Amino acid sequence: MANKTRITIKDVARAAGCGVATASRVLNKSGSASSETRERVEQAARDLGFAFSATGRALQSRKSMTVGCLIPSLANPVFAEAVQGAQEELRKEGYQLLVASSNYDGETDNEILSTLLAKDVDGLLVTMVDPQDSSALNMAQGRNVPTCLMFHDPLPGWPSAHVSNAEAAAEVARRFARYGHRRTGFLALRFATSDRSRNRFDGFRAECAAQNLPAPELIEITETEANTPSILAQRLCEHPELTAIFASNDFLAIAVQKAANLMGWHVPQDLSVVGFDGIEVGRLLDRPLATIETTPEAMGRQAAQTLLVGLQGGELAELTPLPFTFRVGATLSTPRTKSPDDDRGAAQSPSVPPFTSNVKQG
């Protein structure tokens, strides 16, 4: 079979009965043309099966038409939804999204960003461990590569699509106070590597003080503890005075419910639990999770729209925080009145299969 000759824009112009420059303007949507001419050119392109070479277009514009996206984890639906929203916005303008995850490792963050910059991406969307001290992020800034953060609270010089973590956490403290809780805890995974978690704790602690509540207990756990209900139960037993726990994300909040069940504690009568993010699985539990509900897809869209301004030569402005809501769920209630001989029980060795849904950091 003979090889097919590659269709060029000259062929399209000839079939449409116009000049090459006119055909180029129409197909690039870069200039004026009469509706009749535009229709002839577009029809000729369809009939001939013409498509622009992405490589050729990139060489002409000196753009790669790619955007690098760094997130901590693809397993966490919160980040996956943000990527989906960003991708849809960027695709409208012809950009491809290159996605990589770092598993919450600062060195990997810098390695990935350096690789993306070496591939000449036109812009960056970033959620990382420590953007303030990232050499690769500073390199991007030095090269004038437009960059927008996601999920991070605002940082000087870096626009960020975000929910105010401190304000959302303060709402949790107010809810606890309203329900009569005084001894509260904040449960965090990899606290040192997540500014989101630290900001949530700071906002929670500050509002507890404003509500005349004792300072919350900070409970930092490992992945092994988070994913092993019996071990997490033992950690919770170190804080028997707590009647309410604010988990830094929904996965941790779900893990707390599992651990409490093994201990013979009833949620929310013995222990109220509130999460953060509002993932859909929290609604599907037998006891739907009380949580701060955010809209990660909207966050991704806002970040992409902001980045597009920079890609078109505009200034990247600081972003207004996105809204959040408190989803009441069924894991928050007034603390149970305890009698002198009341004992919520000690952690027990589980006779049920291990918890299989790995906890992910937010």
Side-chain angles (χ1 to χ4, degrees), residues 77-117:
V78 170
F79 298 123
E81 288 175 23
V83 169
Q84 184 69 29
Q87 179 175 268
E88 290 178 6
E89 291 299 315
L90 291 169
R91 189 162 41 191
K92 294 176 186 176
E93 301 301 324
Y95 286 91
Q96 292 279 345
L97 198 61
L98 306 180
V99 183
S101 62
S102 66
N103 196 31
Y104 304 93
D105 183 82
E107 290 186 11
T108 305
D109 278 338
N110 281 314
E111 290 173 6
I112 289 173
L113 287 179
S114 296
T115 299
L116 290 171
L117 290 171

Side-chain angles (χ1 to χ4, degrees), residues 129-175:
V129 169
D130 194 356
Q132 288 178 299
D133 294 325
S134 168
S135 58
L137 206 56
N138 288 330
M139 185 192 305
Q141 192 173 49
R143 294 183 182 181
N144 295 317
V145 177
T147 301
C148 186
L149 305 180
M150 299 187 297
F151 295 96
H152 294 284
D153 284 300
L155 296 170
W158 302 105
S160 182
H162 68 289
V163 165
S164 175
N165 288 294
E167 289 185 15
E171 178 61 22
V172 176
R174 287 190 288 269
R175 298 280 176 154

Side-chain angles (χ1 to χ4, degrees), residues 274-330:
V274 172
F276 196 109
D277 286 327
I279 61 175
E280 186 60 26
V281 70
R283 294 180 182 273
L284 304 178
L285 301 174
D286 291 340
R287 190 174 290 108
L289 181 65
T291 186
I292 293 292
E293 192 168 57
T294 64
T295 50
E297 184 179 357
M299 193 176 298
R301 289 184 185 278
Q302 186 190 51
Q305 290 164 359
T306 301
L307 187 65
L308 284 167
V309 173
L311 292 172
Q312 294 163 4
E315 291 291 327
L316 298 184
E318 190 55 68
L319 300 177
T320 302
L322 289 165
F324 63 86
T325 57
F326 187 92
R327 195 169 77 203
V328 176

Side-chain angles (χ1 to χ4, degrees), residues 61-278:
S61 65
R62 295 188 177 181
K63 290 184 177 182
S64 67
M65 299 306 293
T66 59
V67 168
C69 181
L70 169 62
I71 55 174
S73 170
L74 281 169
N76 191 327
V78 170
F79 298 123
E81 288 175 23
V83 169
Q84 184 69 29
Q87 179 175 268
E88 290 178 6
E89 291 299 315
L90 291 169
R91 189 162 41 191
K92 294 176 186 176
E93 301 301 324
Y95 286 91
Q96 292 279 345
L97 198 61
L98 306 180
V99 183
S101 62
S102 66
N103 196 31
Y104 304 93
D105 183 82
E107 290 186 11
T108 305
D109 278 338
N110 281 314
E111 290 173 6
I112 289 173
L113 287 179
S114 296
T115 299
L116 290 171
L117 290 171
K119 292 183 178 295
D120 293 324
V121 295
D122 297 326
L124 291 168
L125 296 174
V126 177
T127 305
M128 62 191 307
V129 169
D130 194 356
Q132 288 178 299
D133 294 325
S134 168
S135 58
L137 206 56
N138 288 330
M139 185 192 305
Q141 192 173 49
R143 294 183 182 181
N144 295 317
V145 177
T147 301
C148 186
L149 305 180
M150 299 187 297
F151 295 96
H152 294 284
D153 284 300
L155 296 170
W158 302 105
S160 182
H162 68 289
V163 165
S164 175
N165 288 294
E167 289 185 15
E171 178 61 22
V172 176
R174 287 190 288 269
R175 298 280 176 154
F176 282 167
R178 189 178 307 167
Y179 277 87
H181 293 281
R182 292 194 54 78
R183 302 299 304 183
T184 65
F186 182 85
L187 186 69
L189 177 65
R190 291 186 185 177
F191 189 70
T193 61
S194 173
D195 60 351
R196 284 89 64 203
S197 185
R198 295 194 300 273
N199 290 339
R200 288 166 197 172
F201 176 65
D202 289 343
F204 182 55
R205 179 174 53 185
E207 188 60 26
C208 281
Q211 296 290 329
N212 295 317
L213 301 180
E217 291 285 340
L218 174 59
I219 307 171
E220 298 182 62
I221 61 174
T222 66
E223 285 91 342
T224 298
E225 291 170 327
N227 291 309
T228 311
S230 58
I231 300 177
L232 179 56
Q234 292 168 5
R235 288 298 309 275
L236 294 179
C237 274
E238 296 171 6
H239 305 275
E241 75 285 359
L242 302 184
T243 64
I245 285 181
F246 175 26
S248 61
N249 66 49
D250 285 348
F251 284 109
L252 282 176
I254 293 169
V256 169
Q257 291 189 68
K258 181 67 174 179
N261 182 59
L262 291 180
M263 298 159 66
W265 294 4
H266 299 285
V267 175
Q269 295 91 336
D270 294 319
L271 183 68
S272 285
V273 182
V274 172
F276 196 109
D277 286 327

